[in-house]
């Protein structure tokens, strides 16, 4: 079934069918309703490639994430796709696995599909690749990276505010020996969380101990191994702040293996508030990042980056997302 059959059944031109399918306001509601009935009656599925050639818009957004196995990202993808579907957009997802080489192949795929914009929820994007999108006038929105400019928007997380909430919570419970497990420090987002922690120590007038700071990989095994190194060093933290929830869950496993208890011996705080964190034993205290708010800010930055009729993306927007502390059972008073 093709567009000419739809036009014949609805008694309109093929141009009117095309405008209706693409949501043009130049078609009267009565005519649009007749065209849509014809589309439904004939089970017509528009050729998205042909539509992209005709309109210059694919109605497809790219979404690049770091690690599909981390529950935070599927939750973020769902929130982004939900709002995209509401606005008649499709989403193409790519997973980099924290690999810069793989990132380049993701970019190539996006360009081949002629995406209308790309949301980048990872920080291993090379400036050269950003320039590739810029030359093709494809708007971008970054999470935790990028400086707003022409065609480039940014959704930033206020990690410092989140870490400050975590530190205040632990200090109120009497903790002074607080350890930290970072993510891979080659990543901008991981370095930001690390600096937020060290600044939090200074703000709270607490002494840092090199044996109580370890680098993980944002995954369960990395959190487990980093916690093993901390405990094997002779350091005796009474609390641990992890760079994300998977790291915290791995750290809890290592704590139990050393014959210690959570939170009686060591309190644990994560970051992200993935759905799983409410069901660990004990339930994990964490800093919640609102996925719906992040996804909405990212989508709107792309959706509004091109005003109707504009050939090039306009000035990018900047949003700041605030974490909030969710207190559960993995934190308690510091042991005497």
């Amino acid at each position: 079934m093709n567009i000419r059959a739809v036009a014949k059944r609805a008694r309109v031109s093929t141009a009117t069918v095309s405008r209706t399918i693409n949501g043009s306001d130049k078609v009267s509601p009565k005519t649009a309703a007749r065209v849509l009935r014809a589309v439904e009656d004939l089970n017509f599925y528009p050729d998205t490639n042909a539509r992209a050639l005709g309109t210059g818009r694919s109605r497809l957004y790219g979404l690049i994430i770091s690690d599909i196995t981390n529950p935070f990202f599927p939750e973020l993808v769902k929130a982004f796709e939900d709002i995209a579907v509401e606005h008649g957009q499709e989403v193409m997802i790519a997973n980099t696995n924290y690999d810069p080489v793989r990132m380049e192949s993701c970019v190539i795929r996006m360009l081949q599909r002629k995406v209308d914009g790309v949301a980048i929820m990872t920080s291993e994007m090379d400036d050269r690749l950003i320039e590739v999108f810029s030359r093709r006038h494809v708007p971008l929105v970054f999470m935790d990276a990028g400086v707003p400019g022409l065609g480039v928007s940014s959704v930033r997380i206020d990690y410092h505010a989140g870490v400050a909430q975590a530190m205040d919570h632990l200090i109120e419970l009497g903790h002074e020996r607080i350890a930290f497990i970072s993510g891979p420090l080659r990543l901008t987002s991981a370095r930001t969380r690390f600096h937020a922690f060290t600044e939090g120590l200074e703000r709270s007038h607490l002494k840092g101990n090199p044996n109580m700071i370890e680098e993980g990989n944002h995954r369960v095994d990395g959190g487990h191994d980093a916690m093993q190194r901390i405990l094997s060093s002779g350091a005796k933290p009474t609390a641990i702040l992890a760079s994300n929830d998977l790291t915290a869950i791995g750290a809890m496993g290592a704590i139990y293996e050393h014959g210690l208890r959570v939170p009686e011996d060591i309190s644990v705080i994560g970051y992200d508030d993935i759905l799983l964190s409410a069901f660990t034993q004990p339930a994990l205290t964490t800093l919640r990042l609102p996925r719906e708010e992040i996804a909405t800010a990212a989508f709107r930055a792309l959706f509004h980056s091109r005003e109707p009729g504009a050939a090039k993306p306009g000035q990018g927007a900047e949003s700041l997302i605030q974490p909030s502390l969710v207190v559960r059972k993995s934190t308690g008073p510091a042991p005497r």
Side-chain angles (χ1 to χ4, degrees):
M1 192 58 58
N2 58 41
I3 194 171
R4 287 187 294 276
V6 174
K8 182 178 180 180
R9 187 179 186 93
R11 303 186 305 281
V12 297
S13 68
T14 55
T16 298
V17 175
S18 179
R19 291 191 190 101
T20 302
I21 292 172
N22 288 299
S24 172
D25 57 5
K26 295 180 180 179
V27 182
S28 71
K30 184 178 179 180
T31 300
R34 195 163 70 245
V35 170
L36 293 175
R37 279 198 304 272
V39 166
E40 184 176 352
D41 291 344
L42 296 174
N43 292 321
F44 174 66
Y45 298 98
D47 184 332
T48 56
N49 291 325
R51 185 172 62 188
L53 288 172
T55 65
R57 299 289 176 87
S58 64
R59 302 181 73 86
L60 176 67
Y61 282 150
L63 178 58
I64 302 178
I65 60 174
S66 297
D67 183 8
I68 197 68
T69 65
N70 182 341
F72 174 79
F73 288 106
E75 293 169 19
L76 184 63
V77 167
K78 181 183 182 302
F80 187 88
E81 187 176 41
D82 284 347
I83 188 172
V85 169
E86 288 177 12
H87 289 77
Q89 297 286 139
E90 298 178 58
V91 180
M92 178 182 178
I93 302 165
N95 174 57
T96 70
N97 202 33
Y98 298 108
D99 182 355
V101 175
R102 189 161 167 174
M103 165 63 90
E104 185 157 0
S105 69
C106 293
V107 168
I108 293 171
R109 287 171 54 207
M110 299 292 173
L111 294 174
Q112 288 173 337
R113 292 294 302 276
K114 299 185 182 301
V115 294
D116 290 339
V118 181
I120 301 168
M121 307 301 188
T122 180
S123 58
E124 57 268 15
M125 173 69 98
D126 189 272
D127 289 342
R128 175 178 56 83
L129 299 178
I130 298 175
E131 179 62 25
V132 169
F133 282 118
S134 177
R135 287 199 302 270
R136 288 163 174 77
H137 308 305
V138 178
L140 303 176
V141 58
F142 286 90
M143 187 176 79
D144 288 343
V147 177
L150 287 176
V152 178
S153 299
S154 176
V155 178
R156 294 193 300 109
I157 310 298
D158 194 345
Y159 289 115
H160 289 76
V163 169
Q165 292 178 62
M167 300 290 278
D168 289 345
H169 174 62
L170 292 173
I171 290 169
E172 288 173 5
L173 292 171
H175 294 277
E176 296 182 356
R177 300 195 304 276
I178 303 172
F180 180 71
I181 302 176
S182 76
L185 292 177
R186 71 178 187 279
L187 303 180
T188 302
S189 58
R191 291 196 300 273
T192 301
R193 300 181 204 202
F194 171 75
H195 293 315
F197 173 74
T198 56
E199 291 172 14
L201 288 178
E202 294 175 4
R203 184 181 61 84
S204 304
H205 306 292
L206 298 176
K207 292 182 179 180
N209 180 344
N211 291 330
M212 292 201 297
I213 298 178
E214 284 287 346
E215 182 177 354
N217 61 4
H218 276 163
R219 293 170 175 157
V220 173
D221 62 333
H224 174 274
D225 295 347
M227 193 73 227
Q228 289 278 18
R229 293 193 295 273
I230 290 172
L231 296 174
S232 298
S233 72
K236 295 183 178 180
T238 62
I240 175 80
L241 174 58
S243 59
N244 70 355
D245 287 347
L246 292 184
T247 299
I249 291 169
M252 290 169 69
I255 290 169
Y256 293 134
E257 289 173 10
H258 277 255
L260 301 172
R261 300 165 297 167
V262 177
E264 291 83 359
D265 299 309
I266 301 180
S267 289
V268 179
I269 297 183
Y271 218 120
D272 286 346
D273 191 29
I274 60 176
L275 293 177
L276 178 64
S277 64
F279 301 98
T280 58
Q281 292 297 323
L284 183 63
T285 294
T286 184
L287 290 150
R288 184 172 193 278
L289 295 182
R291 262 76 76 192
E292 296 83 2
E293 188 176 341
I294 294 170
T296 299
F299 179 85
R300 286 178 176 168
L302 292 179
F303 198 71
H304 297 302
S305 63
R306 284 177 165 171
E307 294 299 327
K312 299 179 181 180
Q315 179 67 28
E318 183 172 26
S319 303
L320 183 64
I321 307 297
Q322 295 291 341
S324 57
L325 183 67
V326 179
V327 179
R328 297 194 179 103
K329 300 295 185 180
S330 68
T331 51
R336 294 184 180 276

